[in-house]
DNA sequence: TCTGCATGCAGC
DNA sequence: ACGCTGCATGCAGA
């Protein structure tokens, strides 16, 4: 194979000779700190040139850097993938480089995303004295170039002087990678960080693949759902029949023929004129009132939301060729959760999930981690009582049967209150009982809150640290101790301190849960790949690469058209689209992956991560 | 007319 | 006085 010749035969032999290792083994290397991986650092030096460095797992170059044309680079990737599992592609920005490979029908198994990992290491308390953390803000701190590209296309992937790339002294990506390796190696618990960086990078690959494959979406079903709820489709800017009818009822109940129910101000005044003591027009506030206008008004709000957020306009702008392609943003949330850009993929209302339909002969396997955050909290705090409450059962039900509270709803409200920092209401009242039953778990949330109130940083299980408080926060805290401080100063400072305490309290739980979910998904992805490889020969590179469309026409999205693959992720939930014959295998893979993720994060601590798994034809049938 | 902010609501 | 989001829309000021 000609492309392989760009690497020395010895290096290729080393690739091939390295045996298959389970993710855990690679992510938790032996005490030597060496994990036997080969890194291939890739930079795009210009439009028609890639620079490739081969490195061992200490960052030492194995041979001189190579220059490759884009075509040679693609061939290189497709020739060493998928045969080698101990190889990790190192590049600046997965969201930029990987879509181009996918469009050529090439998948990669593992990567190291320098930008995402930089952010973690820069902020982590575990690497706070490293060069990465101490370096002045630079291009590694910028947001993904994907966003910039849309506004202002750049000629090259990296904005730096091409002529300085060649020697390693001027090779900033290589320098950065070595800095990051050093930071991890000198951390107190490098294994946790290595796992986090690998999981974050695997997430970046998964995000690009899910966007490329897309979530199966039947616009005909969607249209039927909309028509049933709203009436037939009408021109944008006009109300469908059901919505207009409700608007009329609202006008007549409020005795205001000109009222526009879409205007919060008009609506607010009209409600007050009708004698309703409201402070806003929020739905949950209206729900508490008794008045003939409330029912049609709430209905109007619900339908109007459906129309504006996920109506026909949404359908036409986001569903192409029967797939919804949301743009996932790994690391987009401070806690480590993913964000999305465009299409509102994090907020798909239950109302329209029926439009997510498996292809003919295919199934959707929908899996959801049950009570993920409380289970993560129990494990973080090593609270065996709380873990026991969730063993083999719904954790909230377990809390009830332990006699801590009377109903499942109370258990849930109390737990959420503990994790979010509720102080009042039902949640606040139930907290003492929770604290008595689960002192370790509650002590952990409380100490995270106290740390935040003091302006300190807290850190997740694998080493993602919270940001420092916003500008001015420390000043107003200090000011509150000044003898000249007014009561208002003190009140404001106290309030800001408690706000930040609630943030850090939630950060460790939400962030650690996000880490569990990343590991879960990475395991699922790896096992699905192994499953499809056993089942079918790998797709040939370049098969669909000539397609002009971003995602390729239906039937050519190799290798996603023939094998099970992830199509959706939402914090603690995944959907796999799979040929029906593999559905049972997929369900088993997902379940096993949850157990593995639990072990990767928490070792032998006896906590169950239970799932609800459903194999269905459409998303609405799950749950 | 454009832009930034507030509101309200969808998800976890 | 309960954490993290994204997005459409209305509204006010430039």
């Amino acid at each position: 194979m000609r492309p392989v010749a760009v690497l020395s035969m010895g290096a290729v032999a080393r690739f091939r000779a390295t045996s298959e290792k389970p993710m855990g083994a690679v992510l938790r290397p032996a005490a030597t700190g060496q994990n036997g991986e080969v890194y291939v650092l890739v930079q795009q030096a210009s439009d028609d040139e890639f620079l490739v460095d081969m490195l061992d797992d200490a960052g030492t170059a194995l041979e001189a850097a190579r220059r490759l044309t884009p075509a040679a680079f693609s061939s290189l990737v497709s020739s060493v993938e998928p045969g080698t599992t101990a190889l990790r592609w190192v590049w600046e920005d997965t969201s930029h480089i990987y879509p181009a490979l996918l469009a050529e029908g090439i998948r990669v198994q593992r990567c190291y995303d320098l930008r995402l990992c930089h952010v973690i290491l820069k902020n982590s308390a575990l690497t706070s004295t490293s060069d990465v953390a101490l370096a002045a803000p630079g291009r590694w701190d910028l947001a993904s170039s994907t966003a910039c590209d849309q506004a202002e296309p750049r000629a090259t992937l990296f904005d730096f002087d091409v002529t300085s790339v060649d020697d390693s002294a001027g090779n900033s990506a290589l320098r950065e990678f070595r800095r990051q390796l050093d930071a991890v190696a000198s951390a107190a618990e490098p294994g946790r960080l290595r796992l986090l960086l690998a999981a974050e990078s695997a997430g970046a690959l998964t995000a690009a693949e899910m966007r490329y494959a897309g979530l199966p979406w039947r616009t005909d079903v969607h249209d039927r759902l909309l028509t049933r709820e709203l009436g037939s489709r009408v021109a944008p800017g006009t109300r469908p029949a059901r919505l207009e009818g409700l608007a009329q009822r609202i006008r007549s109940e409020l005795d205001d023929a000109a009222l526009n129910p879409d205007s919060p101000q008009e609506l607010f005044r009209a409600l007050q004129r009708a004698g309703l003591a409201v402070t806003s027009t929020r739905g949950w506030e209206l729900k508490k009132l008794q008045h003939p206008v409330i029912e049609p008004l709430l209905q109007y709000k619900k339908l109007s939301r459906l129309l504006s957020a996920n109506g026909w306009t949404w359908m036409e702008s986001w569903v192409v060729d029967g797939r919804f392609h949301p743009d996932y943003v790994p690391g987009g949330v401070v806690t480590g959760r993913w964000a999305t850009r465009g299409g509102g993929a994090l907020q798909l209302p239950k109302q329209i999930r029926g439009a997510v339909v498996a292809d003919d002969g295919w199934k959707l396997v929908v899996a959801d981690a049950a009570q993920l955050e409380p289970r993560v909290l129990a494990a973080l705090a090593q609270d065996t009582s709380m873990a026991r409450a969730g063993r083999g059962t719904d954790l909230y039900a377990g809390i009830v049967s332990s006699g801590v509270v009377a109903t499942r709803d109370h258990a849930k409200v109390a737990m959420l209150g503990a994790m979010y920092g509720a102080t009042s209401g039902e949640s606040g009242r139930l907290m003492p009982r929770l604290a008595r039953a689960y002192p370790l778990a509650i002590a952990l949330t409380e100490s995270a809150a106290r740390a935040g109130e003091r302006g300190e940083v807290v850190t997740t299980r694998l080493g993602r640290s919270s940001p420092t408080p916003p500008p001015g926060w420390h000043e107003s805290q200090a000011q509150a101790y000044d003898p000249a401080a007014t009561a208002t100063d003190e009140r404001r400072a106290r309030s800001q301190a408690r706000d930040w305490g609630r943030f850090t309290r939630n950060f460790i739980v939400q962030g650690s849960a996000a880490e569990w979910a990343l590991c879960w998904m990475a395991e699922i992805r790896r096992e699905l790949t192994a499953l499809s490889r056993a089942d079918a020969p790998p797709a040939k590179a370049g098969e669909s690469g000539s397609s002009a469309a971003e995602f390729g026409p239906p039937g050519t999205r190799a290798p996603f058209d023939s094998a099970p693959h992830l199509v959706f992720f939402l914090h603690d939930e995944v959907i796999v689209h799979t040929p029906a014959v593999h559905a049972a295998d997929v369900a088993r893979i997902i379940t096993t992956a949850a157990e593995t993720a639990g072990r990767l994060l928490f070792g032998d601590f006896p906590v169950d991560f239970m799932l609800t798994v459903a194999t269905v034809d459409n998303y609405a049938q799950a749950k």
Side-chain angles (χ1 to χ4, degrees), chain A residues 245-447:
Chain A
L246 287 164
Q248 286 298 350
R249 275 180 65 197
I250 292 162
R251 293 191 192 105
S252 77
E253 294 293 354
L254 290 177
D255 204 22
D256 181 347
L259 175 68
N260 171 15
D262 292 323
S263 162
Q265 291 187 356
E266 283 183 42
L267 186 59
F268 182 66
R269 279 193 286 268
L271 289 168
Q272 291 202 314
R273 265 201 308 276
L276 291 167
V278 288
T279 61
S280 76
T281 62
R282 289 185 183 90
W284 58 264
E285 191 177 344
L286 300 177
K287 251 176 224 149
K288 294 183 294 196
L289 303 174
Q290 286 289 101
H291 188 281
V293 78
I294 298 303
E295 190 266 327
L297 183 51
L298 290 174
Q299 187 69 6
Y300 181 90
K301 280 174 170 288
K302 199 170 190 64
L303 293 182
S304 152
R305 166 81 190 181
L306 174 63
L307 175 65
S308 68
N310 297 99
W312 290 279
T313 310
W314 178 91
M315 190 175 93
E316 293 197 332
S317 40
W318 291 105
V319 182
V320 301
D321 294 330
R323 295 288 189 268
F324 171 40
H325 300 270
D327 196 358
Y328 296 96
V329 188
V333 179
V334 278
T335 56
R337 277 185 172 181
W338 288 12
T340 61
R341 212 165 18 216
L346 299 182
Q347 309 130 261
L348 281 186
K350 300 218 159 84
Q351 288 163 297
I352 58 161
R353 293 186 177 184
V356 180
V357 182
D359 290 351
D360 281 345
W362 289 57
K363 292 280 181 186
L364 299 171
V365 182
V366 182
D368 173 298
Q371 306 94 40
L372 175 59
E373 292 192 352
R375 292 172 194 275
V376 165
L377 171 58
L380 280 175
Q382 304 281 292
D383 191 320
T384 49
S385 303
M386 196 164 138
R388 198 179 314 120
R391 195 154 316 142
T393 181
D394 179 298
L395 181 123
Y396 298 135
I399 291 177
V400 173
S401 49
S402 305
V404 179
V405 294
T407 66
R408 185 183 187 278
D409 214 51
H410 281 180
K412 183 173 177 175
V413 163
M415 273 309 314
L416 292 178
M419 293 182 299
Y420 294 161
T423 53
S424 63
E426 192 176 39
S427 181
R429 280 194 298 279
L430 292 164
M431 275 290 296
R433 317 184 62 163
L434 218 54
R436 234 173 299 132
Y438 309 116
L440 291 178
I442 301 306
L444 186 126
T445 62
E446 290 302 315
S447 85

Side-chain angles (χ1 to χ4, degrees), chain A residues 55-323:
Chain A
L55 313 163
D56 68 12
D57 56 14
T60 309
L62 295 171
E63 57 176 53
R66 306 283 176 145
R67 293 178 175 282
L68 278 70
T69 65
F73 170 64
S74 292
S75 297
L76 169 66
V77 179
S78 61
S79 67
V80 297
E81 297 273 356
T84 312
T85 56
L87 180 150
R88 198 179 285 275
W89 301 97
V90 181
W91 48 47
E92 171 169 5
D93 184 355
T94 309
S95 70
H96 197 195
I97 200 165
Y98 195 30
L101 293 171
L102 287 169
E104 295 187 52
I106 301 169
R107 289 181 76 180
V108 312
Q109 296 181 72
R110 356 172 78 195
C111 80
Y112 185 99
D113 187 301
L114 285 165
R115 184 179 49 81
L116 290 172
C117 294
H118 175 91
V119 173
I120 290 171
L121 295 173
K122 175 122 196 168
N123 297 325
S124 177
L126 305 182
T127 50
S128 57
T129 59
S130 68
D131 287 349
V132 176
L134 299 174
R139 68 192 186 89
W140 302 102
D141 300 288
L142 298 176
S144 161
S145 56
T146 317
C148 316
D149 281 352
Q150 280 151 9
E152 187 188 333
R154 289 183 300 178
T156 62
L157 185 54
F158 303 108
D159 269 338
F160 59 94
D161 185 1
V162 172
T163 58
S164 71
V165 166
D166 206 6
D167 64 319
S168 65
N171 186 333
S172 68
L174 180 55
R175 213 166 46 223
E176 171 66 16
F177 183 47
R178 287 176 172 155
R179 256 202 312 235
Q180 293 192 15
L181 289 175
D182 286 346
V184 172
S186 57
E189 294 191 72
R192 290 192 186 183
L193 277 172
R194 276 195 196 105
L195 175 56
L196 176 56
L197 301 182
E200 185 88 338
S201 299
L205 293 175
T206 312
E209 288 171 2
M210 289 198 302
R211 178 168 122 92
Y212 179 72
L215 182 65
W217 199 282
R218 284 273 295 273
T219 51
D220 57 332
V221 176
H222 188 179
D223 176 67
R224 221 177 304 137
L225 289 168
L226 291 175
T227 303
R228 196 180 66 203
E229 297 287 321
L230 298 162
S232 349
R233 182 174 186 174
V234 294
T238 56
R239 291 194 184 91
R242 293 244 0 245
L243 214 47
E244 185 55 43
L246 287 164
Q248 286 298 350
R249 275 180 65 197
I250 292 162
R251 293 191 192 105
S252 77
E253 294 293 354
L254 290 177
D255 204 22
D256 181 347
L259 175 68
N260 171 15
D262 292 323
S263 162
Q265 291 187 356
E266 283 183 42
L267 186 59
F268 182 66
R269 279 193 286 268
L271 289 168
Q272 291 202 314
R273 265 201 308 276
L276 291 167
V278 288
T279 61
S280 76
T281 62
R282 289 185 183 90
W284 58 264
E285 191 177 344
L286 300 177
K287 251 176 224 149
K288 294 183 294 196
L289 303 174
Q290 286 289 101
H291 188 281
V293 78
I294 298 303
E295 190 266 327
L297 183 51
L298 290 174
Q299 187 69 6
Y300 181 90
K301 280 174 170 288
K302 199 170 190 64
L303 293 182
S304 152
R305 166 81 190 181
L306 174 63
L307 175 65
S308 68
N310 297 99
W312 290 279
T313 310
W314 178 91
M315 190 175 93
E316 293 197 332
S317 40
W318 291 105
V319 182
V320 301
D321 294 330
R323 295 288 189 268

